[in-house]
Structure formats: C-alpha cells, structure tokens
Amino acid sequence: MITSNVREYMEKAGLTVRKGAAAMRLATDTINRARQDETILGCSLETLQSIAKVCGCRVKDLFTEE
C-alpha cells in the first residue's frame, strides 16, 4: 500500500492547494490527486518532481510504501 505524504509536505511549506498549484504550474485537481493515498500512483514522475521541488523535499519523500 502506498501512503501519500504530499499533504504534510505542503503544510510544512505553508502551501494551500491553490498556492501550490500556482507555484507548481499544475491544476488543483492534479494536486488533490497527489494528496490522496488512492490516487497518488496515477501521478506522473514529472508531477511529483514539481511538487517536491516547490515543497523542498525529494520525490521519494512524497510517499511511503507499506
């Protein structure tokens, strides 16, 4: 099972979904998809790289595999 850590990293960076989407140049739906455990696997590596860059973390920090 994959658990998304995107929500936590966005909160640490002080980002709301709207602010994050603007900074990452992504749609809010894409950010919401990455924040959900069930749908983060559907995100492209490019999307996860954009999120990680703005949040100041590594791509592999954005999820946990259990």
Side-chain angles (χ1 to χ4, degrees), residues 26-50:
L26 298 171
T28 56
D29 287 346
T30 302
I31 302 298
N32 284 325
R33 193 168 38 250
R35 291 166 51 111
Q36 301 297 319
D37 296 337
E38 305 83 30
T39 54
I40 190 171
L41 288 174
C43 293
S44 70
L45 181 56
E46 184 177 343
T47 295
L48 295 176
Q49 286 175 321
S50 295

Side-chain angles (χ1 to χ4, degrees), residues 7-62:
R7 181 182 313 267
E8 290 81 15
Y9 278 96
M10 286 182 67
E11 286 175 3
K12 286 179 187 177
L15 296 170
T16 63
V17 173
R18 281 195 169 153
K19 286 182 183 178
M24 298 168 201
R25 297 183 182 184
L26 298 171
T28 56
D29 287 346
T30 302
I31 302 298
N32 284 325
R33 193 168 38 250
R35 291 166 51 111
Q36 301 297 319
D37 296 337
E38 305 83 30
T39 54
I40 190 171
L41 288 174
C43 293
S44 70
L45 181 56
E46 184 177 343
T47 295
L48 295 176
Q49 286 175 321
S50 295
I51 294 169
K53 182 177 180 181
V54 172
C55 289
C57 66
R58 301 173 298 180
V59 171
K60 68 181 190 174
D61 295 330
L62 295 177

